[in-house]
PDB file of all heavy atoms in Angstrom:
ATOM      1  N   GLU A  44      83.285 118.142 103.537  1.00  0.00           N
ATOM      2  CA  GLU A  44      82.894 118.065 104.917  1.00  0.00           C
ATOM      3  C   GLU A  44      81.403 118.034 105.122  1.00  0.00           C
ATOM      4  O   GLU A  44      80.956 117.447 106.106  1.00  0.00           O
ATOM      5  CB  GLU A  44      83.501 119.356 105.644  1.00  0.00           C
ATOM      6  CG  GLU A  44      85.045 119.191 105.754  1.00  0.00           C
ATOM      7  CD  GLU A  44      85.686 120.415 106.419  1.00  0.00           C
ATOM      8  OE1 GLU A  44      84.933 121.369 106.811  1.00  0.00           O
ATOM      9  OE2 GLU A  44      86.897 120.350 106.611  1.00  0.00           O
ATOM     10  N   GLU A  45      80.625 118.664 104.302  1.00  0.00           N
ATOM     11  CA  GLU A  45      79.136 118.626 104.430  1.00  0.00           C
ATOM     12  C   GLU A  45      78.634 117.194 104.256  1.00  0.00           C
ATOM     13  O   GLU A  45      77.685 116.765 104.980  1.00  0.00           O
ATOM     14  CB  GLU A  45      78.569 119.492 103.340  1.00  0.00           C
ATOM     15  CG  GLU A  45      77.088 119.452 103.262  1.00  0.00           C
ATOM     16  CD  GLU A  45      76.522 120.246 102.039  1.00  0.00           C
ATOM     17  OE1 GLU A  45      77.200 121.132 101.520  1.00  0.00           O
ATOM     18  OE2 GLU A  45      75.410 119.893 101.597  1.00  0.00           O
ATOM     19  N   HIS A  46      79.309 116.402 103.363  1.00  0.00           N
ATOM     20  CA  HIS A  46      78.760 115.050 103.124  1.00  0.00           C
ATOM     21  C   HIS A  46      79.503 114.004 103.858  1.00  0.00           C
ATOM     22  O   HIS A  46      78.961 112.840 104.102  1.00  0.00           O
ATOM     23  CB  HIS A  46      78.796 114.728 101.622  1.00  0.00           C
ATOM     24  CG  HIS A  46      77.865 115.551 100.833  1.00  0.00           C
ATOM     25  ND1 HIS A  46      76.562 115.187 100.655  1.00  0.00           N
ATOM     26  CD2 HIS A  46      78.054 116.708 100.237  1.00  0.00           C
ATOM     27  CE1 HIS A  46      75.939 116.192  99.999  1.00  0.00           C
ATOM     28  NE2 HIS A  46      76.854 117.128  99.688  1.00  0.00           N
ATOM     29  N   VAL A  47      80.794 114.134 104.236  1.00  0.00           N
ATOM     30  CA  VAL A  47      81.598 113.134 104.818  1.00  0.00           C
ATOM     31  C   VAL A  47      81.935 113.478 106.267  1.00  0.00           C
ATOM     32  O   VAL A  47      82.026 112.559 107.089  1.00  0.00           O
ATOM     33  CB  VAL A  47      82.966 112.927 103.991  1.00  0.00           C
ATOM     34  CG1 VAL A  47      83.801 111.893 104.663  1.00  0.00           C
ATOM     35  CG2 VAL A  47      82.579 112.584 102.541  1.00  0.00           C
ATOM     36  N   GLY A  48      82.297 114.768 106.482  1.00  0.00           N
ATOM     37  CA  GLY A  48      82.666 115.140 107.815  1.00  0.00           C
ATOM     38  C   GLY A  48      84.141 115.694 107.693  1.00  0.00           C
ATOM     39  O   GLY A  48      84.637 115.801 106.627  1.00  0.00           O
ATOM     40  N   LYS A  49      84.606 116.181 108.807  1.00  0.00           N
ATOM     41  CA  LYS A  49      85.900 116.922 108.773  1.00  0.00           C
ATOM     42  C   LYS A  49      87.007 115.894 108.736  1.00  0.00           C
ATOM     43  O   LYS A  49      87.144 115.012 109.585  1.00  0.00           O
ATOM     44  CB  LYS A  49      86.050 117.769 109.996  1.00  0.00           C
ATOM     45  CG  LYS A  49      87.297 118.663 109.889  1.00  0.00           C
ATOM     46  CD  LYS A  49      87.247 119.750 111.061  1.00  0.00           C
ATOM     47  CE  LYS A  49      88.414 120.600 110.987  1.00  0.00           C
ATOM     48  NZ  LYS A  49      88.592 121.393 109.745  1.00  0.00           N
ATOM     49  N   VAL A  50      87.798 115.958 107.665  1.00  0.00           N
ATOM     50  CA  VAL A  50      88.940 115.118 107.503  1.00  0.00           C
ATOM     51  C   VAL A  50      90.076 116.053 107.004  1.00  0.00           C
ATOM     52  O   VAL A  50      89.902 116.763 106.007  1.00  0.00           O
ATOM     53  CB  VAL A  50      88.823 114.020 106.363  1.00  0.00           C
ATOM     54  CG1 VAL A  50      90.037 113.182 106.177  1.00  0.00           C
ATOM     55  CG2 VAL A  50      87.609 113.125 106.808  1.00  0.00           C
ATOM     56  N   GLU A  51      91.219 116.111 107.708  1.00  0.00           N
ATOM     57  CA  GLU A  51      92.282 116.994 107.353  1.00  0.00           C
ATOM     58  C   GLU A  51      93.276 116.241 106.535  1.00  0.00           C
ATOM     59  O   GLU A  51      94.167 115.514 107.104  1.00  0.00           O
ATOM     60  CB  GLU A  51      92.868 117.619 108.558  1.00  0.00           C
ATOM     61  CG  GLU A  51      93.929 118.709 108.148  1.00  0.00           C
ATOM     62  CD  GLU A  51      94.479 119.368 109.509  1.00  0.00           C
ATOM     63  OE1 GLU A  51      93.929 119.418 110.516  1.00  0.00           O
ATOM     64  OE2 GLU A  51      95.616 119.923 109.269  1.00  0.00           O
ATOM     65  N   PHE A  52      93.253 116.259 105.226  1.00  0.00           N
ATOM     66  CA  PHE A  52      94.182 115.642 104.407  1.00  0.00           C
ATOM     67  C   PHE A  52      95.528 116.414 104.542  1.00  0.00           C
ATOM     68  O   PHE A  52      95.468 117.633 104.408  1.00  0.00           O
ATOM     69  CB  PHE A  52      93.702 115.562 102.961  1.00  0.00           C
ATOM     70  CG  PHE A  52      92.545 114.673 102.747  1.00  0.00           C
ATOM     71  CD1 PHE A  52      91.297 115.188 102.350  1.00  0.00           C
ATOM     72  CD2 PHE A  52      92.594 113.225 103.035  1.00  0.00           C
ATOM     73  CE1 PHE A  52      90.249 114.339 102.195  1.00  0.00           C
ATOM     74  CE2 PHE A  52      91.492 112.475 102.940  1.00  0.00           C
ATOM     75  CZ  PHE A  52      90.317 112.919 102.513  1.00  0.00           C
ATOM     76  N   ILE A  53      96.621 115.609 104.658  1.00  0.00           N
ATOM     77  CA  ILE A  53      97.854 116.322 104.795  1.00  0.00           C
ATOM     78  C   ILE A  53      98.939 115.920 103.706  1.00  0.00           C
ATOM     79  O   ILE A  53     100.015 116.559 103.704  1.00  0.00           O
ATOM     80  CB  ILE A  53      98.581 115.977 106.179  1.00  0.00           C
ATOM     81  CG1 ILE A  53      98.845 114.528 106.332  1.00  0.00           C
ATOM     82  CG2 ILE A  53      97.682 116.520 107.297  1.00  0.00           C
ATOM     83  CD1 ILE A  53      99.705 114.129 107.456  1.00  0.00           C
ATOM     84  N   GLN A  54      98.539 114.941 102.827  1.00  0.00           N
ATOM     85  CA  GLN A  54      99.536 114.548 101.868  1.00  0.00           C
ATOM     86  C   GLN A  54      98.801 113.932 100.631  1.00  0.00           C
ATOM     87  O   GLN A  54      97.778 113.242 100.843  1.00  0.00           O
ATOM     88  CB  GLN A  54     100.507 113.551 102.523  1.00  0.00           C
ATOM     89  CG  GLN A  54     101.581 113.042 101.570  1.00  0.00           C
ATOM     90  CD  GLN A  54     102.549 112.087 102.382  1.00  0.00           C
ATOM     91  OE1 GLN A  54     102.880 112.407 103.531  1.00  0.00           O
ATOM     92  NE2 GLN A  54     102.896 111.026 101.856  1.00  0.00           N
ATOM     93  N   ASP A  55      99.306 114.102  99.484  1.00  0.00           N
ATOM     94  CA  ASP A  55      98.908 113.454  98.196  1.00  0.00           C
ATOM     95  C   ASP A  55      99.967 112.428  97.804  1.00  0.00           C
ATOM     96  O   ASP A  55     101.127 112.764  97.794  1.00  0.00           O
ATOM     97  CB  ASP A  55      98.555 114.429  97.122  1.00  0.00           C
ATOM     98  CG  ASP A  55      97.272 115.146  97.266  1.00  0.00           C
ATOM     99  OD1 ASP A  55      96.578 114.891  98.272  1.00  0.00           O
ATOM    100  OD2 ASP A  55      97.054 115.937  96.388  1.00  0.00           O
ATOM    101  N   ASN A  56      99.534 111.231  97.465  1.00  0.00           N
ATOM    102  CA  ASN A  56     100.492 110.221  96.964  1.00  0.00           C
ATOM    103  C   ASN A  56     100.009 109.787  95.545  1.00  0.00           C
ATOM    104  O   ASN A  56      98.849 109.872  95.255  1.00  0.00           O
ATOM    105  CB  ASN A  56     100.456 109.012  97.903  1.00  0.00           C
ATOM    106  CG  ASN A  56     100.884 109.301  99.369  1.00  0.00           C
ATOM    107  OD1 ASN A  56     101.787 110.124  99.575  1.00  0.00           O
ATOM    108  ND2 ASN A  56     100.234 108.705 100.310  1.00  0.00           N
ATOM    109  N   GLU A  57     100.964 109.256  94.807  1.00  0.00           N
ATOM    110  CA  GLU A  57     100.659 108.733  93.503  1.00  0.00           C
ATOM    111  C   GLU A  57     101.533 107.491  93.183  1.00  0.00           C
ATOM    112  O   GLU A  57     102.641 107.421  93.545  1.00  0.00           O
ATOM    113  CB  GLU A  57     100.945 109.842  92.388  1.00  0.00           C
ATOM    114  CG  GLU A  57     100.655 109.398  91.013  1.00  0.00           C
ATOM    115  CD  GLU A  57     100.717 110.603  90.097  1.00  0.00           C
ATOM    116  OE1 GLU A  57     100.102 111.629  90.246  1.00  0.00           O
ATOM    117  OE2 GLU A  57     101.623 110.517  89.107  1.00  0.00           O
ATOM    118  N   SER A  58     100.905 106.534  92.519  1.00  0.00           N
ATOM    119  CA  SER A  58     101.619 105.321  92.099  1.00  0.00           C
ATOM    120  C   SER A  58     101.251 105.008  90.694  1.00  0.00           C
ATOM    121  O   SER A  58     100.202 105.303  90.256  1.00  0.00           O
ATOM    122  CB  SER A  58     101.353 104.160  93.022  1.00  0.00           C
ATOM    123  OG  SER A  58     100.093 103.684  92.828  1.00  0.00           O
ATOM    124  N   LYS A  59     102.149 104.324  89.962  1.00  0.00           N
ATOM    125  CA  LYS A  59     101.949 103.851  88.635  1.00  0.00           C
ATOM    126  C   LYS A  59     102.217 102.361  88.646  1.00  0.00           C
ATOM    127  O   LYS A  59     103.260 101.890  89.158  1.00  0.00           O
ATOM    128  CB  LYS A  59     102.854 104.529  87.587  1.00  0.00           C
ATOM    129  CG  LYS A  59     102.593 104.052  86.151  1.00  0.00           C
ATOM    130  CD  LYS A  59     103.613 104.762  85.221  1.00  0.00           C
ATOM    131  CE  LYS A  59     103.460 104.283  83.818  1.00  0.00           C
ATOM    132  NZ  LYS A  59     104.483 104.974  83.004  1.00  0.00           N
ATOM    133  N   SER A  60     101.300 101.591  88.077  1.00  0.00           N
ATOM    134  CA  SER A  60     101.407 100.159  88.150  1.00  0.00           C
ATOM    135  C   SER A  60     100.898  99.555  86.795  1.00  0.00           C
ATOM    136  O   SER A  60     100.073 100.139  86.091  1.00  0.00           O
ATOM    137  CB  SER A  60     100.508  99.500  89.221  1.00  0.00           C
ATOM    138  OG  SER A  60     100.851 100.081  90.485  1.00  0.00           O
ATOM    139  N   SER A  61     101.299  98.307  86.511  1.00  0.00           N
ATOM    140  CA  SER A  61     100.951  97.616  85.227  1.00  0.00           C
ATOM    141  C   SER A  61      99.870  96.648  85.527  1.00  0.00           C
ATOM    142  O   SER A  61      99.547  96.291  86.643  1.00  0.00           O
ATOM    143  CB  SER A  61     102.165  96.987  84.629  1.00  0.00           C
ATOM    144  OG  SER A  61     102.752  96.148  85.463  1.00  0.00           O
TER     145      SER A  61
END
Side-chain angles (χ1 to χ4, degrees):
E44 288 180 359
E45 176 186 337
H46 293 277
V47 178
K49 189 166 179 61
V50 178
E51 187 178 339
F52 293 116
I53 62 165
Q54 182 174 320
D55 282 0
N56 300 320
E57 182 174 300
S58 69
K59 180 180 176 183
S60 304
S61 57

